[in-house]
Amino acid sequence: MSDDGSRWTTGTVTVDRRTVFYRRSVGGEDGVPIVHLHGFAISGAYLMPTARRLAAHRTNVVPDLPGYGRSEHPGRALGIPALADALLVILDALGLGEVVLVGNSMGCPVGLEVAHMAPERVQRLVLVSPAGGVQNQPMARALAQLARDIARESPRMAPVALPDYVRFGPLNALHLFSELTRFPSLERLLRAPVPALAVLGTRDPLMPPPHRVREVGRLAPEHVTVVVIEGAAHAMNFSHPGELAHVISSWLEGREITDDPDEPGHARVLEIDRG
């Protein structure tokens, strides 16, 4: 394990005889640890702006899942269930029992899968810009959505994301993206076994329109809360870390979720009439 001098350490654990890289905050160990799950074809590096803001009062861990970023590649792109299995091994190797999972994009179905596989390990689940399922089908539609989102993301994300995309490779990307669009994310969410917070951006082309969000919300359990951040696109963990961290910490600590006027974006809880 090494220390980068910024109150975070980095290290590796072994999953199926291959190394997995992780970042872990130092100090602030009062609450249940938060584990951040990155999106498609990218490492956890772009999640760090939000993770740093959440690290004041509890441990935060940001792994690169097997095959991503600085973790060793297993030879093929792992599907969602296999990534969920690997995450449970990572949690065991790091000595983490019950955790809060904060997923972005592909990290959301991975988190949902873990919550269904081992609900005793997931205290709460945060789904930031959840991807997968009918909204991203067929694959051609999903690719068009992704292309529109790239134009809406912060230019500062390019040097963070581009090396990861190149390293992951186009064949692995197509294989995994196809599986992600077919994954039953909606069905998993509607049967979420733990309290869940979904955070959506109004400029995210991968998200369904507001009327569809409300339809899904009416079908979801009472313990699912939906928050909208005005002006945010898909990777809001990078573009709107202050507002996102404020929303997450308010929810975790049982405070009313309100907008932080000092941060870009405007957060509001989506009022859903569940009849």
Side-chain angles (χ1 to χ4, degrees), residues 241-265:
E243 191 68 36
L244 179 58
H246 172 71
V247 167
I248 293 173
S249 60
S250 296
W251 183 68
L252 291 179
E253 295 165 12
R255 294 183 277 111
E256 181 183 4
I257 299 175
T258 59
D259 178 63
D260 185 342
D262 296 326
E263 296 290 346

Side-chain angles (χ1 to χ4, degrees), residues 61-262:
V61 178
V62 185
D64 289 350
L65 294 173
Y68 296 81
R70 296 167 66 178
S71 292
E72 193 173 352
H73 205 288
R76 59 181 177 84
L78 299 181
I80 303 301
L83 289 171
D85 286 334
L87 179 59
L88 286 170
V89 176
I90 293 169
L91 298 182
D92 289 340
L94 292 174
L96 300 176
E98 189 180 41
V99 298
V100 173
L101 295 180
V102 177
N104 171 250
S105 191
M106 182 197 74
C108 297
V110 173
L112 280 165
E113 191 77 354
V114 171
H116 280 276
M117 292 167 54
E120 73 281 359
R121 303 293 297 273
V122 183
Q123 185 203 52
R124 290 194 169 200
L125 180 62
V126 181
L127 308 170
V128 182
S129 308
V134 294
Q135 173 60 21
N136 307 131
Q137 295 174 353
M139 188 174 175
R141 179 187 186 191
L143 290 172
Q145 292 169 335
L146 184 62
R148 290 200 301 273
D149 180 66
I150 290 173
R152 299 179 183 184
E153 296 293 351
S154 167
R156 295 180 294 108
M157 189 169 164
V160 178
L162 188 57
D164 289 334
Y165 288 140
V166 171
R167 188 180 301 112
F168 194 71
L171 292 180
N172 283 321
L174 285 173
H175 171 79
L176 183 58
F177 203 59
S178 176
E179 175 170 333
L180 180 60
T181 60
R182 297 194 307 269
F183 189 78
S185 295
L186 177 58
E187 290 81 354
R188 293 288 195 275
L189 175 61
L190 295 181
R191 295 187 293 107
V194 301
L197 169 69
V199 187
L200 313 178
T202 59
R203 298 189 70 243
D204 184 356
L206 283 85
M207 292 298 102
H211 75 272
R212 178 57 178 159
V213 173
R214 292 183 184 276
E215 289 175 1
V216 172
R218 285 193 286 269
L219 298 173
E222 291 285 344
H223 60 241
V224 174
T225 300
V226 181
V227 170
V228 175
I229 296 183
E230 302 285 344
H234 197 63
M236 68 176 79
N237 309 63
F238 184 87
S239 63
H240 291 70
E243 191 68 36
L244 179 58
H246 172 71
V247 167
I248 293 173
S249 60
S250 296
W251 183 68
L252 291 179
E253 295 165 12
R255 294 183 277 111
E256 181 183 4
I257 299 175
T258 59
D259 178 63
D260 185 342
D262 296 326

Side-chain angles (χ1 to χ4, degrees), residues 1-23:
M1 179 181 291
S2 63
D3 191 328
D4 66 3
S6 60
R7 304 297 294 165
W8 283 76
T9 62
T10 61
T12 61
V13 295
T14 301
V15 176
D16 194 23
R17 301 188 300 278
R18 291 181 174 86
T19 59
V20 168
F21 176 82
Y22 69 89
R23 309 154 188 86

